[in-house]
Amino acid sequence: MVTIKDVAQAAGVAPSTVSYVLSGSRKISDATRAAVQAAVDELGYHPNAGARSLRSTRTGVLALALPLPARGYLPVGGRFMYGLSEAAGQLGYLVLLVTPPGEEDPDAGLERAARSRFADAAVIMGVQMEDPRIDAMRALDFPVALIGRPADESAAPWTDLDWDEAALVAVRALHEAGHKRVCYLATVEEDVRARRSYSVRGIRGAERAAAGLGTSVDVCHSTGDPAELFGRLDARLDSAEAPTAFAVQHPAAIPGILRHLAARGIEVPRDVSLVAVGSFPEDLGGLDVTRVELPVARMSAAVTRLAADAVEAAAPGTPAGGATPHTLIAPHLIRGATVAPAP
Amino acid sequence: MVTIKDVAQAAGVAPSTVSYVLSGSRKISDATRAAVQAAVDELGYHPNAGARSLRSTRTGVLALALPLPARGYLPVGGRFMYGLSEAAGQLGYLVLLVTPPGEEDPDAGLERAARSRFADAAVIMGVQMEDPRIDAMRALDFPVALIGRPADESAAPWTDLDWDEAALVAVRALHEAGHKRVCYLATVEEDVRARRSYSVRGIRGAERAAAGLGTSVDVCHSTGDPAELFGRLDARLDSAEAPTAFAVQHPAAIPGILRHLAARGIEVPRDVSLVAVGSFPEDLGGLDVTRVELPVARMSAAVTRLAADAVEAAAPGTPAGGATPHTLIAPHLIRGATVAPAP
DNA sequence: CTGAAAGCGCTTACAG
DNA sequence: CTGAAAGCGCTTACAG
């Protein structure tokens, strides 16, 4: 293994000088710098991560706390892992995955990562309105940034799509097309039950939209079981007051829903209109759905920035800065081919 | 921060004794062990990861080298990240994501992770038939395990679905249903061009199946652009020798393909049969496709095991063990509702 | 059965 | 502009 001593010897300087050249925290003569740089390149030197973090209390790693994938695979989780890894790389961080070890103690993995200093900060996914992980990390004085807007918005830095507004935008698009009876298909019920922020806010947005617009909005919870989901849709469609439009906050289910509707002889948008809430493009297989997309790349960049800032803010000697920052992203309706005037 | 000294003091023993209790590498009296354990629990002590790795040259981390997500998001990548994080946790490892920093140097991130000892071993995804990352890691004496079967099967430990066989099984199912003209829709062309192992082997399996069974198999490359893909399918369907069946090694595209066929008035399986090669259940939105699934959980467990074993094998004092191990998983056809006798 | 001591590879005040 | 030295928190031979 190549150490700083090897580089120092090769360059004819002291190890501390190599360190200063690499960190840039001291003025170094051009000759010395060039000699050190040459030795570094020559030997392929990379500072030992363990030694560096032991000494400097910086690891260059962000821990990503994943939600329990118990209810099956979450496409959105995978998408965020990519986005985060990329955004983090841009800021010089690596991303460490932290999965909950079991049902009974959902933040044991995260707590271990924090206490053992595997990372400088945690990025929390699948944020709940009242998320115990936030308090757990605060108790450890461990910096966090959230993908998701908690009930207490000053609890920690966060970024999110404005889900209340997204649901409103979707319902309004249907309302403006003349639909009087809209079914809001919310996230899977496990998410509703866990009070995930996007679930709660999406539903709330739909209810507010109903109240504000005078449209009848029937909120229905989705499920990962397609047969069960189609049963719920059928119950709605067979009722006396059948909806003429759906707003769907479960993008992974949309291809299946469209197939199911087609099998029932229902054509979209001729017979029924549909808007997706919080979809991402890769989901839809080229299907031109009217939608509000989840801005994964922007959210990944934002949360990485917030996490990096939280690391700086937690450093000793930093003044206890004012308000807790956040990045709220306004929804943007993309008009596709799945909304038509109400029959 | 709680250190081993704090624990030692609280328990009234020497720091080294605490270390031995935690590692279990020395006989300790019950009384001492209990006192140490109580102090550990009381103080919430977790050993500092940097210090531990500096001293022991073990990090407890596996680096996951992701393929470039340049052509858009790969659902399968996300699925493996979950699977790996879970399997690794079971063996006491955490997973660090390593994304290629840019096009020009696809293993710079991995090389840095290895040289800086951020991890004990690398798990490589999106393995190419001749993968430069394998040689790069070998040059550093850094243990690896592959998700994908390289051309040189003794280059490194690997696990994979038997893709040759999977394509054969799929084509044979269609052959047995009487289909004489099968179109094998291979992976996206970027994967073919990069000579990803699953691409090359899937195509090879299809070609062998054709030769062995006497079925005409037309190999066609998929693409992430749905419009372009549908164009390619149309060209086949409009030709004089139109296929009566498809074997599709691009599961994410299947919902779109089925919709496109339906729009052309082609009903599956009445008019055209279809088998998915390497799908995973979450992909299909409840669609009962005849398929060979990608065993993500088994592969994740296998590659983690291989990586952990490679770490042990690389430890000084370990005899240079014999053959390079691998875990080849036989394909298994799941009969769904998308294959019918040829018209 | 337990402890005192060396040292892993860095960074950063301290000194010149 | 550069160097010598201390020390981060552990693990593990060495000693008893």
Side-chain angles (χ1 to χ4, degrees), chain A residues 44 46-47 49 73 75 79 85 95 97 99 115-116 226 259 285-287, chain B residues 44 46-47 49 73 75 79 81 85 95 97 99 115-116 226 259 285-287:
Chain A
H46 287 250
Y73 167 59
R79 189 63 191 74
S85 181
V95 172
L97 301 183
T99 331
R115 291 198 114 113
S116 288
R259 238 183 7 258
L287 190 58
Chain B
H46 288 251
Y73 165 60
R79 189 63 191 72
M81 289 186 232
S85 180
V95 171
L97 300 182
T99 333
R115 291 198 113 113
S116 289
R259 239 182 10 256
L287 191 58

PDB file of all heavy atoms in Angstrom, chain A residues 44 46-47 49 73 75 79 85 95 97 99 115-116 226 259 285-287, chain B residues 44 46-47 49 73 75 79 81 85 95 97 99 115-116 226 259 285-287:
ATOM      1  N   GLY A  44       0.450   6.632  -7.787  1.00  0.00           N
ATOM      2  CA  GLY A  44      -0.993   6.372  -7.692  1.00  0.00           C
ATOM      3  C   GLY A  44      -1.489   6.481  -6.263  1.00  0.00           C
ATOM      4  O   GLY A  44      -2.301   5.690  -5.805  1.00  0.00           O
ATOM      5  N   HIS A  46      -3.496   7.513  -3.079  1.00  0.00           N
ATOM      6  CA  HIS A  46      -4.778   8.024  -2.582  1.00  0.00           C
ATOM      7  C   HIS A  46      -4.740   7.916  -1.071  1.00  0.00           C
ATOM      8  O   HIS A  46      -4.446   6.848  -0.538  1.00  0.00           O
ATOM      9  CB  HIS A  46      -5.946   7.198  -3.126  1.00  0.00           C
ATOM     10  CG  HIS A  46      -6.223   7.435  -4.568  1.00  0.00           C
ATOM     11  ND1 HIS A  46      -7.339   8.094  -5.019  1.00  0.00           N
ATOM     12  CD2 HIS A  46      -5.514   7.090  -5.665  1.00  0.00           C
ATOM     13  CE1 HIS A  46      -7.314   8.147  -6.334  1.00  0.00           C
ATOM     14  NE2 HIS A  46      -6.227   7.542  -6.761  1.00  0.00           N
ATOM     15  N   PRO A  47      -5.054   8.993  -0.360  1.00  0.00           N
ATOM     16  CA  PRO A  47      -4.975   8.967   1.101  1.00  0.00           C
ATOM     17  C   PRO A  47      -5.884   7.894   1.674  1.00  0.00           C
ATOM     18  O   PRO A  47      -6.999   7.703   1.199  1.00  0.00           O
ATOM     19  CB  PRO A  47      -5.466  10.358   1.519  1.00  0.00           C
ATOM     20  CG  PRO A  47      -5.436  11.189   0.295  1.00  0.00           C
ATOM     21  CD  PRO A  47      -5.503  10.287  -0.881  1.00  0.00           C
ATOM     22  N   ALA A  49      -8.606   6.272   3.659  1.00  0.00           N
ATOM     23  CA  ALA A  49      -9.857   6.874   4.139  1.00  0.00           C
ATOM     24  C   ALA A  49     -10.002   6.760   5.649  1.00  0.00           C
ATOM     25  O   ALA A  49     -10.455   7.699   6.315  1.00  0.00           O
ATOM     26  CB  ALA A  49     -11.050   6.216   3.443  1.00  0.00           C
ATOM     27  N   TYR A  73     -40.355  -3.948  -4.050  1.00  0.00           N
ATOM     28  CA  TYR A  73     -39.383  -3.016  -4.583  1.00  0.00           C
ATOM     29  C   TYR A  73     -40.017  -1.678  -4.954  1.00  0.00           C
ATOM     30  O   TYR A  73     -41.081  -1.621  -5.542  1.00  0.00           O
ATOM     31  CB  TYR A  73     -38.748  -3.638  -5.818  1.00  0.00           C
ATOM     32  CG  TYR A  73     -37.964  -2.680  -6.648  1.00  0.00           C
ATOM     33  CD1 TYR A  73     -36.891  -2.000  -6.109  1.00  0.00           C
ATOM     34  CD2 TYR A  73     -38.316  -2.444  -7.968  1.00  0.00           C
ATOM     35  CE1 TYR A  73     -36.176  -1.113  -6.871  1.00  0.00           C
ATOM     36  CE2 TYR A  73     -37.598  -1.567  -8.739  1.00  0.00           C
ATOM     37  CZ  TYR A  73     -36.533  -0.906  -8.181  1.00  0.00           C
ATOM     38  OH  TYR A  73     -35.837  -0.021  -8.940  1.00  0.00           O
ATOM     39  N   PRO A  75     -39.533   1.404  -7.228  1.00  0.00           N
ATOM     40  CA  PRO A  75     -38.742   1.970  -8.324  1.00  0.00           C
ATOM     41  C   PRO A  75     -38.153   3.320  -7.946  1.00  0.00           C
ATOM     42  O   PRO A  75     -37.020   3.633  -8.265  1.00  0.00           O
ATOM     43  CB  PRO A  75     -39.749   2.122  -9.459  1.00  0.00           C
ATOM     44  CG  PRO A  75     -40.905   1.279  -9.100  1.00  0.00           C
ATOM     45  CD  PRO A  75     -40.899   1.080  -7.624  1.00  0.00           C
ATOM     46  N   ARG A  79     -34.284   4.898  -8.246  1.00  0.00           N
ATOM     47  CA  ARG A  79     -34.010   6.106  -9.005  1.00  0.00           C
ATOM     48  C   ARG A  79     -33.267   7.137  -8.156  1.00  0.00           C
ATOM     49  O   ARG A  79     -32.355   7.818  -8.631  1.00  0.00           O
ATOM     50  CB  ARG A  79     -35.337   6.659  -9.524  1.00  0.00           C
ATOM     51  CG  ARG A  79     -35.236   7.785 -10.496  1.00  0.00           C
ATOM     52  CD  ARG A  79     -34.532   7.349 -11.764  1.00  0.00           C
ATOM     53  NE  ARG A  79     -34.217   8.508 -12.587  1.00  0.00           N
ATOM     54  CZ  ARG A  79     -33.264   9.368 -12.312  1.00  0.00           C
ATOM     55  NH1 ARG A  79     -32.520   9.199 -11.224  1.00  0.00           N
ATOM     56  NH2 ARG A  79     -33.034  10.395 -13.105  1.00  0.00           N
ATOM     57  N   SER A  85     -26.200   9.316  -5.792  1.00  0.00           N
ATOM     58  CA  SER A  85     -24.815   8.921  -5.957  1.00  0.00           C
ATOM     59  C   SER A  85     -24.121   9.887  -6.920  1.00  0.00           C
ATOM     60  O   SER A  85     -22.970  10.272  -6.716  1.00  0.00           O
ATOM     61  CB  SER A  85     -24.743   7.492  -6.476  1.00  0.00           C
ATOM     62  OG  SER A  85     -23.404   7.089  -6.631  1.00  0.00           O
ATOM     63  N   VAL A  95     -21.731   7.670  -1.378  1.00  0.00           N
ATOM     64  CA  VAL A  95     -23.014   7.356  -0.726  1.00  0.00           C
ATOM     65  C   VAL A  95     -22.988   5.944  -0.156  1.00  0.00           C
ATOM     66  O   VAL A  95     -22.648   4.985  -0.849  1.00  0.00           O
ATOM     67  CB  VAL A  95     -24.188   7.481  -1.723  1.00  0.00           C
ATOM     68  CG1 VAL A  95     -25.475   6.959  -1.107  1.00  0.00           C
ATOM     69  CG2 VAL A  95     -24.344   8.923  -2.162  1.00  0.00           C
ATOM     70  N   LEU A  97     -25.240   2.983   1.603  1.00  0.00           N
ATOM     71  CA  LEU A  97     -26.630   2.557   1.789  1.00  0.00           C
ATOM     72  C   LEU A  97     -26.834   2.012   3.193  1.00  0.00           C
ATOM     73  O   LEU A  97     -26.062   1.176   3.655  1.00  0.00           O
ATOM     74  CB  LEU A  97     -26.992   1.462   0.786  1.00  0.00           C
ATOM     75  CG  LEU A  97     -26.867   1.819  -0.686  1.00  0.00           C
ATOM     76  CD1 LEU A  97     -27.323   0.639  -1.535  1.00  0.00           C
ATOM     77  CD2 LEU A  97     -27.691   3.058  -1.003  1.00  0.00           C
ATOM     78  N   THR A  99     -29.750   0.120   5.251  1.00  0.00           N
ATOM     79  CA  THR A  99     -31.073  -0.503   5.239  1.00  0.00           C
ATOM     80  C   THR A  99     -31.472  -0.827   6.661  1.00  0.00           C
ATOM     81  O   THR A  99     -30.638  -1.254   7.453  1.00  0.00           O
ATOM     82  CB  THR A  99     -31.029  -1.829   4.453  1.00  0.00           C
ATOM     83  OG1 THR A  99     -30.021  -1.757   3.471  1.00  0.00           O
ATOM     84  CG2 THR A  99     -32.350  -2.110   3.781  1.00  0.00           C
ATOM     85  N   ARG A 115     -23.131   6.597  14.869  1.00  0.00           N
ATOM     86  CA  ARG A 115     -22.283   6.463  16.058  1.00  0.00           C
ATOM     87  C   ARG A 115     -20.884   5.984  15.694  1.00  0.00           C
ATOM     88  O   ARG A 115     -19.902   6.360  16.346  1.00  0.00           O
ATOM     89  CB  ARG A 115     -22.911   5.490  17.047  1.00  0.00           C
ATOM     90  CG  ARG A 115     -24.180   6.010  17.686  1.00  0.00           C
ATOM     91  CD  ARG A 115     -24.509   5.211  18.958  1.00  0.00           C
ATOM     92  NE  ARG A 115     -24.391   6.051  20.126  1.00  0.00           N
ATOM     93  CZ  ARG A 115     -25.406   6.428  20.916  1.00  0.00           C
ATOM     94  NH1 ARG A 115     -26.623   6.010  20.641  1.00  0.00           N
ATOM     95  NH2 ARG A 115     -25.206   7.199  21.950  1.00  0.00           N
ATOM     96  N   SER A 116     -20.800   5.122  14.695  1.00  0.00           N
ATOM     97  CA  SER A 116     -19.491   4.619  14.284  1.00  0.00           C
ATOM     98  C   SER A 116     -18.784   5.572  13.333  1.00  0.00           C
ATOM     99  O   SER A 116     -17.682   5.293  12.884  1.00  0.00           O
ATOM    100  CB  SER A 116     -19.640   3.256  13.597  1.00  0.00           C
ATOM    101  OG  SER A 116     -19.971   2.260  14.532  1.00  0.00           O
ATOM    102  N   PRO A 226     -51.912  -6.087  -7.666  1.00  0.00           N
ATOM    103  CA  PRO A 226     -52.695  -5.611  -8.810  1.00  0.00           C
ATOM    104  C   PRO A 226     -54.146  -6.088  -8.784  1.00  0.00           C
ATOM    105  O   PRO A 226     -55.062  -5.304  -9.052  1.00  0.00           O
ATOM    106  CB  PRO A 226     -51.951  -6.190 -10.010  1.00  0.00           C
ATOM    107  CG  PRO A 226     -50.554  -6.414  -9.534  1.00  0.00           C
ATOM    108  CD  PRO A 226     -50.685  -6.784  -8.095  1.00  0.00           C
ATOM    109  N   ARG A 259     -54.213  -1.028 -18.735  1.00  0.00           N
ATOM    110  CA  ARG A 259     -54.552  -2.324 -19.330  1.00  0.00           C
ATOM    111  C   ARG A 259     -55.874  -2.838 -18.785  1.00  0.00           C
ATOM    112  O   ARG A 259     -56.699  -3.364 -19.528  1.00  0.00           O
ATOM    113  CB  ARG A 259     -53.442  -3.321 -19.033  1.00  0.00           C
ATOM    114  CG  ARG A 259     -52.849  -3.891 -20.290  1.00  0.00           C
ATOM    115  CD  ARG A 259     -51.803  -4.928 -20.039  1.00  0.00           C
ATOM    116  NE  ARG A 259     -51.678  -5.292 -18.663  1.00  0.00           N
ATOM    117  CZ  ARG A 259     -50.722  -4.873 -17.864  1.00  0.00           C
ATOM    118  NH1 ARG A 259     -49.787  -4.047 -18.321  1.00  0.00           N
ATOM    119  NH2 ARG A 259     -50.669  -5.285 -16.633  1.00  0.00           N
ATOM    120  N   GLY A 285     -43.027   3.819 -20.017  1.00  0.00           N
ATOM    121  CA  GLY A 285     -42.825   3.069 -21.250  1.00  0.00           C
ATOM    122  C   GLY A 285     -43.276   3.795 -22.495  1.00  0.00           C
ATOM    123  O   GLY A 285     -43.873   3.222 -23.395  1.00  0.00           O
ATOM    124  N   GLY A 286     -42.996   5.079 -22.532  1.00  0.00           N
ATOM    125  CA  GLY A 286     -43.321   5.819 -23.739  1.00  0.00           C
ATOM    126  C   GLY A 286     -44.770   6.241 -23.818  1.00  0.00           C
ATOM    127  O   GLY A 286     -45.218   6.824 -24.804  1.00  0.00           O
ATOM    128  N   LEU A 287     -45.494   5.959 -22.762  1.00  0.00           N
ATOM    129  CA  LEU A 287     -46.896   6.320 -22.716  1.00  0.00           C
ATOM    130  C   LEU A 287     -47.011   7.813 -22.456  1.00  0.00           C
ATOM    131  O   LEU A 287     -46.409   8.331 -21.530  1.00  0.00           O
ATOM    132  CB  LEU A 287     -47.538   5.533 -21.570  1.00  0.00           C
ATOM    133  CG  LEU A 287     -49.030   5.574 -21.476  1.00  0.00           C
ATOM    134  CD1 LEU A 287     -49.644   5.045 -22.765  1.00  0.00           C
ATOM    135  CD2 LEU A 287     -49.462   4.717 -20.307  1.00  0.00           C
TER     136      LEU A 287
ATOM    137  N   GLY B  44     -23.996   3.400  24.827  1.00  0.00           N
ATOM    138  CA  GLY B  44     -24.307   3.363  23.393  1.00  0.00           C
ATOM    139  C   GLY B  44     -23.040   3.391  22.556  1.00  0.00           C
ATOM    140  O   GLY B  44     -22.973   4.068  21.534  1.00  0.00           O
ATOM    141  N   HIS B  46     -20.290   2.498  19.960  1.00  0.00           N
ATOM    142  CA  HIS B  46     -20.023   1.828  18.678  1.00  0.00           C
ATOM    143  C   HIS B  46     -18.610   2.185  18.277  1.00  0.00           C
ATOM    144  O   HIS B  46     -18.264   3.369  18.249  1.00  0.00           O
ATOM    145  CB  HIS B  46     -21.006   2.299  17.595  1.00  0.00           C
ATOM    146  CG  HIS B  46     -22.392   1.778  17.771  1.00  0.00           C
ATOM    147  ND1 HIS B  46     -22.939   0.836  16.935  1.00  0.00           N
ATOM    148  CD2 HIS B  46     -23.336   2.069  18.686  1.00  0.00           C
ATOM    149  CE1 HIS B  46     -24.168   0.565  17.336  1.00  0.00           C
ATOM    150  NE2 HIS B  46     -24.448   1.302  18.383  1.00  0.00           N
ATOM    151  N   PRO B  47     -17.787   1.197  17.965  1.00  0.00           N
ATOM    152  CA  PRO B  47     -16.379   1.486  17.642  1.00  0.00           C
ATOM    153  C   PRO B  47     -16.278   2.430  16.442  1.00  0.00           C
ATOM    154  O   PRO B  47     -17.023   2.302  15.484  1.00  0.00           O
ATOM    155  CB  PRO B  47     -15.803   0.112  17.291  1.00  0.00           C
ATOM    156  CG  PRO B  47     -16.788  -0.891  17.772  1.00  0.00           C
ATOM    157  CD  PRO B  47     -18.109  -0.214  17.868  1.00  0.00           C
ATOM    158  N   ALA B  49     -15.389   3.726  13.086  1.00  0.00           N
ATOM    159  CA  ALA B  49     -15.106   2.953  11.868  1.00  0.00           C
ATOM    160  C   ALA B  49     -13.731   3.281  11.297  1.00  0.00           C
ATOM    161  O   ALA B  49     -13.014   2.398  10.833  1.00  0.00           O
ATOM    162  CB  ALA B  49     -16.188   3.230  10.817  1.00  0.00           C
ATOM    163  N   TYR B  73     -32.340   5.647 -16.572  1.00  0.00           N
ATOM    164  CA  TYR B  73     -32.406   4.870 -15.349  1.00  0.00           C
ATOM    165  C   TYR B  73     -32.650   3.388 -15.640  1.00  0.00           C
ATOM    166  O   TYR B  73     -33.433   3.009 -16.474  1.00  0.00           O
ATOM    167  CB  TYR B  73     -33.550   5.425 -14.509  1.00  0.00           C
ATOM    168  CG  TYR B  73     -33.963   4.526 -13.391  1.00  0.00           C
ATOM    169  CD1 TYR B  73     -33.060   4.172 -12.413  1.00  0.00           C
ATOM    170  CD2 TYR B  73     -35.249   4.030 -13.338  1.00  0.00           C
ATOM    171  CE1 TYR B  73     -33.445   3.350 -11.376  1.00  0.00           C
ATOM    172  CE2 TYR B  73     -35.628   3.208 -12.308  1.00  0.00           C
ATOM    173  CZ  TYR B  73     -34.727   2.870 -11.339  1.00  0.00           C
ATOM    174  OH  TYR B  73     -35.095   2.056 -10.327  1.00  0.00           O
ATOM    175  N   PRO B  75     -34.060   0.122 -14.078  1.00  0.00           N
ATOM    176  CA  PRO B  75     -34.795  -0.429 -12.937  1.00  0.00           C
ATOM    177  C   PRO B  75     -34.012  -1.545 -12.267  1.00  0.00           C
ATOM    178  O   PRO B  75     -33.987  -1.676 -11.046  1.00  0.00           O
ATOM    179  CB  PRO B  75     -36.076  -0.970 -13.551  1.00  0.00           C
ATOM    180  CG  PRO B  75     -36.185  -0.365 -14.892  1.00  0.00           C
ATOM    181  CD  PRO B  75     -34.819   0.080 -15.310  1.00  0.00           C
ATOM    182  N   ARG B  79     -33.058  -2.305  -8.237  1.00  0.00           N
ATOM    183  CA  ARG B  79     -33.460  -3.543  -7.574  1.00  0.00           C
ATOM    184  C   ARG B  79     -32.257  -4.240  -6.945  1.00  0.00           C
ATOM    185  O   ARG B  79     -32.351  -4.786  -5.843  1.00  0.00           O
ATOM    186  CB  ARG B  79     -34.138  -4.439  -8.619  1.00  0.00           C
ATOM    187  CG  ARG B  79     -34.793  -5.654  -8.070  1.00  0.00           C
ATOM    188  CD  ARG B  79     -35.919  -5.274  -7.134  1.00  0.00           C
ATOM    189  NE  ARG B  79     -36.400  -6.433  -6.398  1.00  0.00           N
ATOM    190  CZ  ARG B  79     -35.722  -7.033  -5.424  1.00  0.00           C
ATOM    191  NH1 ARG B  79     -34.552  -6.567  -5.056  1.00  0.00           N
ATOM    192  NH2 ARG B  79     -36.217  -8.079  -4.819  1.00  0.00           N
ATOM    193  N   MET B  81     -29.485  -2.792  -5.946  1.00  0.00           N
ATOM    194  CA  MET B  81     -28.982  -2.025  -4.801  1.00  0.00           C
ATOM    195  C   MET B  81     -29.714  -2.427  -3.540  1.00  0.00           C
ATOM    196  O   MET B  81     -29.088  -2.631  -2.495  1.00  0.00           O
ATOM    197  CB  MET B  81     -29.173  -0.531  -5.060  1.00  0.00           C
ATOM    198  CG  MET B  81     -28.232  -0.006  -6.133  1.00  0.00           C
ATOM    199  SD  MET B  81     -28.366   1.789  -6.267  1.00  0.00           S
ATOM    200  CE  MET B  81     -28.652   1.967  -8.012  1.00  0.00           C
ATOM    201  N   SER B  85     -27.885  -4.454  -0.520  1.00  0.00           N
ATOM    202  CA  SER B  85     -27.788  -3.794   0.773  1.00  0.00           C
ATOM    203  C   SER B  85     -28.336  -4.734   1.844  1.00  0.00           C
ATOM    204  O   SER B  85     -27.779  -4.844   2.941  1.00  0.00           O
ATOM    205  CB  SER B  85     -28.569  -2.490   0.741  1.00  0.00           C
ATOM    206  OG  SER B  85     -28.486  -1.835   1.980  1.00  0.00           O
ATOM    207  N   VAL B  95     -22.983  -1.188   2.214  1.00  0.00           N
ATOM    208  CA  VAL B  95     -22.732  -1.056   0.771  1.00  0.00           C
ATOM    209  C   VAL B  95     -22.478   0.403   0.411  1.00  0.00           C
ATOM    210  O   VAL B  95     -23.268   1.287   0.765  1.00  0.00           O
ATOM    211  CB  VAL B  95     -23.924  -1.590  -0.039  1.00  0.00           C
ATOM    212  CG1 VAL B  95     -23.761  -1.261  -1.513  1.00  0.00           C
ATOM    213  CG2 VAL B  95     -24.071  -3.089   0.170  1.00  0.00           C
ATOM    214  N   LEU B  97     -21.964   3.063  -2.676  1.00  0.00           N
ATOM    215  CA  LEU B  97     -22.215   3.206  -4.108  1.00  0.00           C
ATOM    216  C   LEU B  97     -21.051   3.917  -4.785  1.00  0.00           C
ATOM    217  O   LEU B  97     -20.601   4.962  -4.313  1.00  0.00           O
ATOM    218  CB  LEU B  97     -23.486   4.022  -4.350  1.00  0.00           C
ATOM    219  CG  LEU B  97     -24.775   3.459  -3.776  1.00  0.00           C
ATOM    220  CD1 LEU B  97     -25.939   4.374  -4.161  1.00  0.00           C
ATOM    221  CD2 LEU B  97     -25.012   2.048  -4.278  1.00  0.00           C
ATOM    222  N   THR B  99     -20.194   5.447  -8.407  1.00  0.00           N
ATOM    223  CA  THR B  99     -20.646   5.771  -9.757  1.00  0.00           C
ATOM    224  C   THR B  99     -19.465   6.216 -10.578  1.00  0.00           C
ATOM    225  O   THR B  99     -18.613   6.949 -10.071  1.00  0.00           O
ATOM    226  CB  THR B  99     -21.670   6.931  -9.722  1.00  0.00           C
ATOM    227  OG1 THR B  99     -22.327   6.909  -8.469  1.00  0.00           O
ATOM    228  CG2 THR B  99     -22.689   6.792 -10.824  1.00  0.00           C
ATOM    229  N   ARG B 115      -8.145   2.162  -3.707  1.00  0.00           N
ATOM    230  CA  ARG B 115      -6.843   2.659  -3.244  1.00  0.00           C
ATOM    231  C   ARG B 115      -6.947   3.363  -1.907  1.00  0.00           C
ATOM    232  O   ARG B 115      -6.022   3.314  -1.099  1.00  0.00           O
ATOM    233  CB  ARG B 115      -6.257   3.629  -4.284  1.00  0.00           C
ATOM    234  CG  ARG B 115      -5.839   2.951  -5.571  1.00  0.00           C
ATOM    235  CD  ARG B 115      -4.874   3.853  -6.362  1.00  0.00           C
ATOM    236  NE  ARG B 115      -3.565   3.263  -6.421  1.00  0.00           N
ATOM    237  CZ  ARG B 115      -2.974   2.811  -7.533  1.00  0.00           C
ATOM    238  NH1 ARG B 115      -3.595   2.905  -8.701  1.00  0.00           N
ATOM    239  NH2 ARG B 115      -1.795   2.285  -7.491  1.00  0.00           N
ATOM    240  N   SER B 116      -8.070   4.046  -1.687  1.00  0.00           N
ATOM    241  CA  SER B 116      -8.237   4.743  -0.410  1.00  0.00           C
ATOM    242  C   SER B 116      -8.768   3.820   0.663  1.00  0.00           C
ATOM    243  O   SER B 116      -8.976   4.249   1.793  1.00  0.00           O
ATOM    244  CB  SER B 116      -9.205   5.920  -0.575  1.00  0.00           C
ATOM    245  OG  SER B 116      -8.608   6.948  -1.322  1.00  0.00           O
ATOM    246  N   PRO B 226     -39.025   4.558 -26.961  1.00  0.00           N
ATOM    247  CA  PRO B 226     -40.188   3.740 -27.313  1.00  0.00           C
ATOM    248  C   PRO B 226     -40.608   3.889 -28.779  1.00  0.00           C
ATOM    249  O   PRO B 226     -40.921   2.891 -29.434  1.00  0.00           O
ATOM    250  CB  PRO B 226     -41.278   4.275 -26.383  1.00  0.00           C
ATOM    251  CG  PRO B 226     -40.545   4.859 -25.222  1.00  0.00           C
ATOM    252  CD  PRO B 226     -39.284   5.420 -25.802  1.00  0.00           C
ATOM    253  N   ARG B 259     -48.978  -2.618 -25.275  1.00  0.00           N
ATOM    254  CA  ARG B 259     -49.893  -1.542 -25.650  1.00  0.00           C
ATOM    255  C   ARG B 259     -49.803  -1.246 -27.120  1.00  0.00           C
ATOM    256  O   ARG B 259     -50.803  -1.018 -27.802  1.00  0.00           O
ATOM    257  CB  ARG B 259     -49.579  -0.291 -24.841  1.00  0.00           C
ATOM    258  CG  ARG B 259     -50.756   0.172 -24.038  1.00  0.00           C
ATOM    259  CD  ARG B 259     -50.482   1.422 -23.267  1.00  0.00           C
ATOM    260  NE  ARG B 259     -49.246   2.047 -23.611  1.00  0.00           N
ATOM    261  CZ  ARG B 259     -48.161   1.990 -22.850  1.00  0.00           C
ATOM    262  NH1 ARG B 259     -48.188   1.345 -21.699  1.00  0.00           N
ATOM    263  NH2 ARG B 259     -47.068   2.586 -23.234  1.00  0.00           N
ATOM    264  N   GLY B 285     -46.530  -5.082 -13.463  1.00  0.00           N
ATOM    265  CA  GLY B 285     -47.807  -4.507 -13.067  1.00  0.00           C
ATOM    266  C   GLY B 285     -48.945  -5.513 -13.065  1.00  0.00           C
ATOM    267  O   GLY B 285     -50.044  -5.222 -13.506  1.00  0.00           O
ATOM    268  N   GLY B 286     -48.653  -6.699 -12.571  1.00  0.00           N
ATOM    269  CA  GLY B 286     -49.716  -7.675 -12.442  1.00  0.00           C
ATOM    270  C   GLY B 286     -50.019  -8.405 -13.736  1.00  0.00           C
ATOM    271  O   GLY B 286     -50.933  -9.213 -13.820  1.00  0.00           O
ATOM    272  N   LEU B 287     -49.262  -8.116 -14.744  1.00  0.00           N
ATOM    273  CA  LEU B 287     -49.458  -8.755 -16.039  1.00  0.00           C
ATOM    274  C   LEU B 287     -48.909 -10.178 -15.963  1.00  0.00           C
ATOM    275  O   LEU B 287     -47.775 -10.399 -15.565  1.00  0.00           O
ATOM    276  CB  LEU B 287     -48.669  -7.948 -17.070  1.00  0.00           C
ATOM    277  CG  LEU B 287     -48.928  -8.283 -18.513  1.00  0.00           C
ATOM    278  CD1 LEU B 287     -50.401  -8.093 -18.830  1.00  0.00           C
ATOM    279  CD2 LEU B 287     -48.095  -7.364 -19.371  1.00  0.00           C
TER     280      LEU B 287
END
